[in-house]
Structure formats: structure tokens, C-alpha cells
Amino acid sequence: MTIRISASLTALALAAAPLSGFAVAQEPGSISLDTITVDGESATGPVRGYVAQRSTTGSKTGTPLAETAQSVSVITREQMSQQNAQSLNEALRYTPGVTPESRGAGASRFDLFKIRGFDAVNYLNGLRMQKMNWVSPQVDPYLLERVEVLRGPSSVLYGQAPTGGMVNQISKLPTMARFGEVGVQFGNNAQRQASFDFGGPVDPQGRFLYRLTGIGRMENGQIADTEAERFAIAPAFTFKPSDDTSLTLLGLYQRDPKANAYIGVPSAGSVSYNPNGRLSRRTNVSEPNLESFDRTQSSAGYLFSHRFSDAVTLRMNGQWFRSNIDYFSVFGSSLAANGRTLSRSVSLSHDELDALAFDNQLEWNFSTGPLSHTLLTGFDAQSSDGYFVSGTGAAPAIDLFAPVYGRPITLPATRRTDVTTRQYGLYAQDEIRFGNFIATFAGRSDWAQNKTTVAGARSATDDHALTGRAALLYRFDNGIAPYVSFAQSFTPLAGTDATGRAFDPERGLQYEAGVKYQPVGINALLSAAVFDLTRENLLTTDLVNRGFSVQVGEARSRGVELEAKASLDFGLNVAASYTYLDTKYTRDNSGLEGLVPTGVPRHMASLWLYYDLPASLVPGLSLGAGVRYVGSTFNTNNTIEVPSVTLVDAALRFDFGKLMPQLNGMALQVNVKNLFDKDYVGTCYTSTTCAYGQGRVITAGLNYRW
């Protein structure tokens, strides 16, 4: 369904949700629509264009992004669709501060990325997706409405979380607009895909809404003799007995019988010289007949809200997530002096994890004299119970340049590890407005327990942590909003030191200053930020008691981030970013002090433009182009430098309905990622684990929407 809104309303980037009371003018070749009311964009709902106005991730209260005193980026559904993002890594490619695809083309089975130089975590609808061993939950981007990136510490609202930041994935939810969409897509690497998305009201009053989204995809992997398969379905149902009350039930079932390969190649022959020649990015150092990764994920959740009055709102969210994985891989361990004989190891694991997460919030809006308050209080909890049976052993060596597969492999001995985690948190946040000033103060208390049992030997930690956040922003009438902020984080650590004392949680501290600019009358949001972020209590080698660790490690990240998002009236969408990072270990006993963490570039930049050509020129034609630059990176001990790379993407879309009204809703879309087929290495972890980046990917899809 196509909705045309006047330029003045477009500038507000309002959600196109059909209600009642706003007439839409009909143009030649368009279809008649019911009247709608244009209301303010919700903090989780659809967005027209690339510029979201609100987000729940930064404050949990739907504070406008232009008034949020922390760096938050939103990748909208429209941007993901136009770029044809088929993984979370791909969706994050044009976002500042984020280093996606840290495992190169082999990252398809996991969402591996860094924010501000450090590993980050995933959330789904504001609730953490918990991990364990090889369990790392992944949701296909087609099932998402938007992706929100919070850069910097987030513990004050979300509990234990890495210092660098978090990514919050928002599911597609039922809407008041009745619609349907089906699509097919084909591409190189033998890709075949089919998708569907249906939804709308069940009854005339719109009290019952539904949505059903699904996707199936099969393709060959870039590494020789590997494949990927995915089948996912996500039902959602909303009950709205009144305008003040809403309950949404969410489901997810995702089956990944195959997921390419999670292996690398030696640095000699990929990023450095090898007398035997250069290794192909299709080089498979594993055993094609044995390499496997079989994952099944199931989830059920709810989103409940009730507005008692204009001043008081209750929100209660919950989620159950289960993951079951079978993993088997053969990978390189050391390269012989001849540069071609690679000794190998074998690893296998069976993992099962059940996780629960809840978040209950009460929001109060009130005034004390000239001060207006938005007070948020909350209690959240998360728990997980899981186990994995795993083992690692030796495997026969292989000739990299003349591989022979199928030699007998002795399966390694395995042992079972049971893992139980519990966390409970109480938090409060007050957003205080005085004229154009907005001050935010937040505090949190957390209790976290972790129990691990390995072959009958049990260890446990019991932590308590206090975290806080404070920020001040001033919004000028012309849309400029400078701010400063301070935030803390904590992450529990398992294990004990040489004396048997349990490790304290890792702590994080960030100072940030920035400015946001939302031009009046233009649908755009510009932002700039500088930050100084420190991680403390990192584990490092105990120099007195070898084999043990002590908590004297420290790492620091300083940098600058620039971002511009715009959806302009004449049909141009823009996403641009630049990142400068100065990240290093500032204290360490194992030789890392002064070194840059693995896979962290100093410079990153990107620009994506998508333009709907005027109907007078070529009716229905849209063109897109993007360029991505990632600076050079290093391996763990900084002995291997991975060269920088510049990649180009392109897109073309043709809306048949603009040319032939009887074909309204049908569109052809072609995307090319890495247009010039750049052969490059994404990351090196060790001298035998370097991951090639994704080569050129061409897809062509036909969609019909009504």
C-alpha cells in the first residue's frame, strides 16, 4: 500500500498508520485509500524513511532522539529493505561506532560485531538474548521492524552489559493497517528465498490485530562446499480492549539446519606473503563432509501496557527463549615452515539453553514547581539454565594448496558443563525539564549469581553492583541540542583467583559530549559525539601464581562519531557516518599493554544514497549506491596488520505500479554488495585464523504488496 503525504507532514517523519480523519489526495495511477489520521511516531513502530524520531532503547520512555543525551542510532525497516540486509551484521554496516562482521564472511551463523572497540550484546524488544558457549541467539532481519544501537554503557537501565554498547532489535508488530506482502528472491551462490508478511485488524473495531511473518532461504557459502539454510516464522497477536490498554503476544521459530563454516585461513597467503601463492577466499581447511552447525530457536514473549491516566503508565514485558545447537568443526592450529602443511584440531559440542527475561516499568509524569518530571521506576530479572557437552582434539594435517579430505578423524573425549545464571535489578530514572534544559539522573542496583559445574566440580559467583548515569542537554529553538553525559556499566566474571576469591564484576565508565541537530522543516537528524570509555577489572595473568588470573587489567577507548540521516521531500534518502577510534589495553600482565584489541580499526566511514527518480524522468525507478571504508586492524598480539578496505554497494528498484496501474504493489529489486568483488581479509585473530570478507553478492527479488 502506498501513502502520499504532503511535504510539510513528511518533514515530521510521522508513522503512516491508517486510522481515521485525514484525507489523502488521489493522483493519476494511484489507488483509493481509507482516510487516515497522522499521529506522532511511536517509539517502536514503523517509520517513513530513514529518520526515526523516537526510540525506547536510550531511555525506555520514548524520549525523542534529538533530546536523548547519549548516542543512539536507528536503522529503520525502509533502510534495511532498500539495502536488502540479510543479517544483523549487514544491517549495521552504515552505522557509526560499529565494527560489523568481525568474522568476515564466516559470521553468518553469529551476529559478531563491536561497538566503540569492544564486543557488544543483542537484545530483542528490550530484553537480553542470553548466550552460552556456542549459543548466540540470532533473529533474521526480515522479522524486524527496526534496529536500535545504543553506544556506550547501558547497565543503568539493562543490568549486566558490556561497556561498548548494545543492539536492540524490534520485532514487527501488528498494525491497524491491513496489508499483505509476498516475495521471492534469487542470487549468486545459488541463493533462493521466499518470504511473506501479513497483518491487520481481525474485527471492525480494531481491538484484535494480528501479524504473521515468515522467510525461507537456501544458499551456498563463500567457502567451498559449505551451505546455509534458514526457515523462520514469527506470529504476533495484539488485544486492545481500549485506547489505554494493549497486550501483544509474540512468537518465533527459527530453524537453521546449515550455517556455512566458522573457519579461517593462515595469515601467510592471505594478508602476508606465502611462497606457495595466495590462498583463495574459498579455501576450506575443514572437512566438508563433517563440518556442521544445526540450530533450532524458539521464543515466546509478551508486551503489555496500561495507561492509568495521562500521568501514569505501566509496562510489563517478558520473553522465553530456547536454543538447541549441534556443532562440529575441523580448524587450523599451526602452519609448518613450508607454508602449506596446516596442522588441525577438531571441536564438537551439543548445547541447550533456556532463558527467561522480564522487565516491569512504571512511568510517572508530574511537575514540581517549574520542573517537569518523567520518572521511570522498574524491576527486571533474567535467568538461564543450560548445558553443553563439548570436546576438542587433534585432527590430521592438510595441504592448503592441494587438500585431500576424508582422512579418519578420532572423535575427542567430551565433558559436560552446566551453567545457571540469575540476575535481578531495581532501577529509577528521572528526566527533568526546565525550559529548554533536560537533565537526566538514573541509578540502579543489581544482584547477579552464576553457577558452573564441570565434570562434577562446581564454582559460583554472587555479585552486587551499583551503577549510575547523569546527563544534561539543552535544546535550542532552532533544533540544535548540545549535551554531556556520564554512564557506568558492569559485567559479572566467572572464576576465582589463586586464593579462591571470586572475581569482582568488570566495571565500565564513560564520559561523552555531543551535539544533535534536527533542522526545522526538514526530515533529518545530525549528530556528533566525543567519548572517553574505560573498562576496569579485566582479567590478566597472575605473575606470581602462574595458571591463575588477577583483576588488574584495563582497556580504554576514545573517539569521535559523526552521523547524518535524512529523508528529503524530493525522494532522496541519506545515511552517512564517520568514526575515529583510539582503543588500546592500558594495563595488562600478559603482553597486551599498549596494544590495540583484535579487529578494531582507527577509522571507519560510510555513505549510502537512495533516490526515487522523478516520475517525469523514469516512473517507478529508484537507484541506490553506497561506499564503506574500514581502516586497518590487528590480530591479538598486534603482529599481523590487516589492510584497510573500501567497498561499494548498489541497488535498483522498479515499481511496476507507477508505470501500469493494474500492477500496483508489484516491484522488482536488485542489490549488489561489494560491487567490484574486492578480495579482502576482514579480520585476523591469530596467525592461523584470518577470515576473508564477503565477496560480491548479487540478488534480484520480486515483491507484491497489497
Side-chain angles (χ1 to χ4, degrees):
M1 180 178 67
T2 301
I3 298 178
R4 296 179 177 85
I5 304 180
S6 67
S8 61
L9 289 172
T10 301
L12 298 176
L14 301 178
L19 298 171
S20 62
F22 185 85
V24 180
Q26 187 172 358
E27 299 178 5
S30 65
I31 60 172
S32 298
L33 302 174
D34 295 335
T35 56
I36 64 172
T37 291
V38 179
D39 194 6
E41 175 204 311
S42 73
T44 57
V47 177
R48 263 186 100 243
Y50 287 14
V51 187
Q53 303 295 316
R54 298 177 181 274
S55 161
T56 60
T57 303
S59 64
K60 288 190 177 181
T61 60
T63 300
L65 285 169
E67 299 176 358
T68 300
Q70 192 166 349
S71 294
V72 181
S73 296
V74 177
I75 301 100
T76 65
R77 176 72 259 164
E78 188 165 335
Q79 181 180 341
M80 287 190 286
S81 295
Q82 291 176 355
Q83 295 175 345
N84 193 28
Q86 296 190 296
S87 69
L88 182 59
N89 276 291
E90 292 187 4
L92 296 172
R93 283 174 171 174
Y94 289 85
T95 305
V98 181
T99 310
E101 298 166 301
S102 59
R103 193 74 181 204
S108 60
R109 64 175 61 169
F110 299 121
D111 295 326
L112 298 174
F113 52 88
K114 299 177 185 292
I115 299 179
R116 292 186 170 174
F118 302 125
D119 291 337
V121 292
N122 294 4
Y123 284 69
L124 181 62
N125 301 316
L127 300 171
R128 184 167 180 171
M129 303 172 71
Q130 299 179 62
K131 301 180 180 181
M132 178 200 70
N133 196 41
W134 290 106
V135 173
S136 182
Q138 189 179 52
V139 178
D140 194 277
Y142 185 74
L143 309 179
L144 304 176
E145 186 62 53
R146 56 206 279 178
V147 174
E148 303 184 349
V149 181
L150 173 62
R151 298 188 290 280
S154 57
S155 287
V156 74
L157 290 180
Y158 295 95
Q160 56 177 306
T163 306
M166 58 171 283
V167 171
N168 188 18
Q169 303 165 95
I170 308 299
S171 299
K172 288 181 175 177
L173 302 177
T175 67
M176 290 293 295
R178 182 175 287 106
F179 72 96
E181 177 185 86
V182 293
V184 293
Q185 179 176 286
F186 300 92
N188 63 338
N189 300 320
Q191 183 181 117
R192 297 90 73 198
Q193 176 179 295
S195 58
F196 62 84
D197 191 9
F198 308 103
V202 176
D203 63 315
Q205 293 76 31
R207 293 183 179 179
F208 299 93
L209 312 172
Y210 82 99
R211 190 159 190 171
L212 183 65
T213 310
I215 189 169
R217 184 188 306 120
M218 295 181 289
E219 61 186 351
N220 293 335
Q222 177 170 285
I223 298 172
D225 302 312
T226 62
E227 298 176 282
E229 295 181 355
R230 169 166 292 170
F231 308 96
I233 188 167
F237 180 80
T238 295
F239 172 51
K240 295 185 65 174
S242 70
D243 291 339
D244 295 326
T245 305
S246 175
L247 172 64
T248 298
L249 303 178
L250 299 167
L252 169 68
Y253 177 82
Q254 184 169 302
R255 180 90 166 86
D256 299 329
K258 301 177 182 179
N260 294 327
Y262 190 71
I263 53 178
V265 297
S267 59
S270 58
V271 297
S272 61
Y273 175 73
N274 188 318
N276 301 287
R278 181 173 172 81
L279 293 167
S280 166
R281 62 189 176 199
R282 290 182 53 78
T283 300
N284 191 339
V285 306
S286 182
E287 289 290 329
N289 293 330
L290 297 177
E291 179 79 26
S292 65
F293 185 84
D294 187 342
R295 173 174 59 195
T296 302
Q297 297 178 156
S298 303
S299 176
Y302 63 86
L303 307 172
F304 173 79
S305 68
H306 177 70
R307 186 176 61 183
F308 293 97
S309 66
D310 291 340
V312 183
T313 301
L314 171 69
R315 289 184 290 270
M316 303 173 67
N317 306 326
Q319 178 177 276
W320 164 78
F321 209 105
R322 176 173 176 77
S323 190
N324 185 310
I325 293 174
D326 284 299
Y327 163 80
F328 188 99
S329 184
V330 178
F331 54 93
S333 53
S334 65
L335 184 64
N338 63 10
R340 60 187 307 143
T341 303
L342 181 71
S343 64
R344 299 185 298 173
S345 299
V346 60
S347 178
L348 58 84
S349 187
H350 172 77
D351 301 26
E352 295 188 23
L353 181 70
D354 284 276
L356 291 169
F358 304 93
D359 187 13
N360 306 296
Q361 312 161 19
L362 193 62
E363 180 180 325
W364 303 71
N365 293 279
F366 60 94
S367 297
T368 55
L371 305 180
S372 298
H373 300 260
T374 299
L375 177 63
L376 179 74
T377 58
F379 168 76
D380 58 22
Q382 55 185 357
S383 67
S384 66
D385 293 277
Y387 75 91
F388 55 94
V389 180
S390 61
T392 301
I398 193 171
D399 187 329
L400 289 171
F401 295 91
V404 176
Y405 302 110
R407 294 176 180 174
I409 293 180
T410 302
L411 296 181
T414 61
R415 65 178 183 180
R416 174 168 172 147
T417 300
D418 291 87
V419 179
T420 300
T421 68
R422 301 287 186 269
Q423 182 190 323
Y424 312 93
L426 290 169
Y427 60 90
Q429 173 184 269
D430 193 4
E431 296 174 87
I432 306 170
R433 296 173 182 265
F434 176 71
N436 288 6
F437 282 100
I438 305 173
T440 303
F441 301 97
R444 180 186 181 96
S445 181
D446 269 292
W447 297 265
Q449 299 91 35
N450 294 275
K451 297 178 182 178
T452 303
T453 304
V454 183
R458 177 182 169 186
S459 63
T461 61
D462 193 342
D463 297 311
H464 174 245
L466 298 173
T467 52
R469 176 174 177 261
L472 180 65
L473 178 145
Y474 184 86
R475 180 140 191 203
F476 290 93
D477 294 337
N478 61 5
I480 296 177
Y483 68 89
V484 292
S485 67
F486 155 87
Q488 297 175 310
S489 70
F490 89 102
T491 306
L493 299 175
T496 61
D497 61 17
T499 67
R501 179 179 177 275
F503 292 126
D504 294 327
E506 176 190 314
R507 304 302 298 252
L509 174 66
Q510 176 182 272
Y511 298 95
E512 178 175 317
V515 60
K516 300 186 179 186
Y517 177 42
Q518 190 171 46
V520 177
I522 301 176
N523 188 17
L525 183 60
L526 314 178
S527 63
V530 295
F531 61 89
D532 187 319
L533 188 158
T534 303
R535 295 172 61 192
E536 300 175 334
N537 290 349
L538 302 185
L539 298 182
T540 184
T541 303
D542 186 336
L543 299 179
V544 176
N545 301 284
R546 295 291 181 175
F548 290 91
S549 296
V550 291
Q551 285 190 279
V552 298
E554 183 182 274
R556 187 206 69 204
S557 182
R558 295 171 176 170
V560 178
E561 295 167 347
L562 307 175
E563 182 177 32
K565 287 284 189 75
S567 290
L568 306 178
D569 292 342
F570 57 89
L572 178 65
N573 287 322
V574 180
S577 72
Y578 168 74
T579 304
Y580 168 79
L581 289 173
D582 178 12
T583 309
K584 63 182 178 182
Y585 293 99
T586 51
R587 192 160 55 238
D588 186 84
N589 291 340
S590 62
L592 296 179
E593 186 170 329
L595 302 185
V596 178
T598 305
V600 179
R602 185 172 287 266
H603 299 278
M604 294 184 290
S606 65
L607 173 64
W608 170 265
L609 303 174
Y610 194 89
Y611 182 50
D612 298 325
L613 272 68
S616 58
L617 189 60
V618 183
L621 181 63
S622 302
L623 299 175
V627 59
R628 297 176 275 132
Y629 171 81
V630 180
S632 60
T633 62
F634 295 91
N635 69 328
T636 302
N637 57 10
N638 285 197
T639 57
I640 301 170
E641 183 174 3
V642 180
S644 61
V645 63
T646 300
L647 304 170
V648 177
D649 304 319
L652 178 151
R653 185 178 186 272
F654 187 76
D655 186 344
F656 292 98
K658 297 294 180 64
L659 191 64
M660 302 176 63
Q662 59 269 37
L663 295 179
N664 189 70
M666 183 174 292
L668 171 70
Q669 180 167 319
V670 178
N671 287 82
V672 186
K673 302 161 188 174
N674 190 358
L675 177 65
F676 299 110
D677 200 21
K678 182 75 172 180
D679 195 342
Y680 70 101
V681 171
T683 308
C684 282
Y685 287 86
T686 68
S687 62
T688 55
T689 311
C690 293
Y692 274 106
Q694 183 68 58
R696 180 166 53 214
V697 175
I698 305 172
T699 57
L702 188 65
N703 275 33
Y704 178 64
R705 186 176 179 88
W706 65 93

